[in-house]
């Protein structure tokens, strides 16, 4: 039915090596604490454990897996793909692939992931179940004892549910 393609590329023109770690590109999207401009609404903005800590915004690289691999102070590129499956189920497949400056990734490898997206309301509420992770992600998650349920993340874009926009755009049928 559909194929969503998202591409992100960014580079810092100037970023000294001792810059604040909050100001980096990230492959794995943003958590609430990384949203330093408060562009998004997070139910658990500063949570580090529990369900609300698994909310993220598809920013920067847009990867669904939370990992600190791929935090870059120089440059980043990422390609995100989502495709729907035939039928009426709200399931989609997703795949992400990306690269960052050599200092931000082990073995200078291309990083990737893939899985299933349970799309409750497209671009508003989606739940991501990882099925395929690159070896660098797998080893990092194992060494930090991250369980599979902790790898499941979701987007909840409450800022898209602005009631004033609904009222402004509301049309009655004649």
């Amino acid at each position: 039915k559909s194929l969503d393609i998202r591409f992100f590329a960014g580079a810092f023109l100037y970023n000294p090596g001792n810059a604040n770690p909050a100001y980096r590109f990230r492959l794995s999207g943003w958590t609430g604490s990384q949203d330093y401009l408060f562009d998004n609404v997070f139910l658990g903005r500063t949570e580090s454990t529990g369900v609300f800590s698994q909310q993220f915004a598809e920013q920067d690289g847009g990867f669904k897996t939370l990992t600190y691999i791929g935090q870059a102070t120089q440059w980043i590129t990422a390609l995100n793909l989502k495709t729907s499956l035939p039928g009426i189920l709200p399931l989609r497949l997703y795949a992400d692939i990306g690269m960052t400056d050599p200092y931000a990734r082990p073995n200078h490898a291309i990083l990737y992931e893939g899985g299933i997206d349970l799309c409750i309301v497209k671009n508003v509420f989606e739940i991501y179940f990882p099925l395929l992770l690159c070896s660098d992600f797998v080893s990092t998650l194992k060494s930090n004892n991250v369980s599979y349920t902790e790898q499941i993340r979701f987007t909840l874009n409450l800022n898209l549910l602005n009631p004033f926009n609904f009222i402004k755009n509301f049309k009655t049928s004649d």
Side-chain angles (χ1 to χ4, degrees), residues 22 49-50 59 64 71 73 106 118 135 140 142 151 164 171:
T49 59
Q59 302 289 343
K64 308 341 175 241
Q71 290 192 22
T73 58
L118 177 59
S135 61
T140 300
K142 272 187 182 178
Q151 295 173 42
F164 298 109
K171 295 182 181 176

Side-chain angles (χ1 to χ4, degrees), residues 3 5 12 15-16 23 41 47 54 60 63 67 76 79 82 89 94-95 107 110 122 126 133 141 143 147-148 165 171:
L3 175 65
I5 301 171
F12 288 105
N15 191 359
Y23 307 113
V41 177
E47 298 293 321
Q54 293 172 252
D60 292 356
F63 275 48
T67 178
I76 185 175
L79 177 66
K82 290 182 191 175
L89 293 176
Y94 72 87
N107 308 321
I110 295 174
K122 187 176 180 181
E126 300 182 38
L133 300 172
L141 294 168
S143 66
S147 69
Y148 181 77
N165 286 340
K171 295 182 181 176

Side-chain angles (χ1 to χ4, degrees), residues 5-73:
I5 301 171
R6 178 183 178 272
F7 178 75
F8 178 84
F12 288 105
L13 299 177
Y14 176 75
N15 191 359
N18 59 357
N20 185 329
Y23 307 113
R24 300 179 178 182
F25 291 120
R26 292 174 170 78
L27 277 180
S28 63
W30 293 355
T31 63
S33 61
Q34 295 164 341
D35 181 21
Y36 55 88
L37 293 176
F38 294 87
D39 289 332
N40 300 287
V41 177
F42 285 90
L43 297 177
R45 180 167 290 279
T46 58
E47 298 293 321
S48 58
T49 59
V51 172
F52 294 134
S53 71
Q54 293 172 252
Q55 181 183 357
F56 79 106
E58 282 188 81
Q59 302 289 343
D60 292 356
F63 275 48
K64 308 341 175 241
T65 302
L66 177 60
T67 178
Y68 295 102
I69 295 175
Q71 290 192 22
T73 58

Side-chain angles (χ1 to χ4, degrees), residues 88-143:
I88 59 171
L89 293 176
L91 296 177
R92 302 181 341 158
L93 298 177
Y94 72 87
D96 303 317
I97 186 167
M99 290 182 61
T100 63
D101 61 68
Y103 305 107
R105 62 185 196 276
N107 308 321
H108 306 289
I110 295 174
L111 303 170
Y112 60 88
E113 68 173 354
I116 295 176
D117 168 14
L118 177 59
C119 183
I120 309 298
V121 179
K122 187 176 180 181
N123 297 326
V124 176
F125 183 46
E126 300 182 38
I127 305 170
Y128 298 94
F129 300 89
L131 298 177
L132 172 69
L133 300 172
C134 65
S135 61
D136 291 327
F137 285 179
V138 170
S139 62
T140 300
L141 294 168
K142 272 187 182 178
S143 66

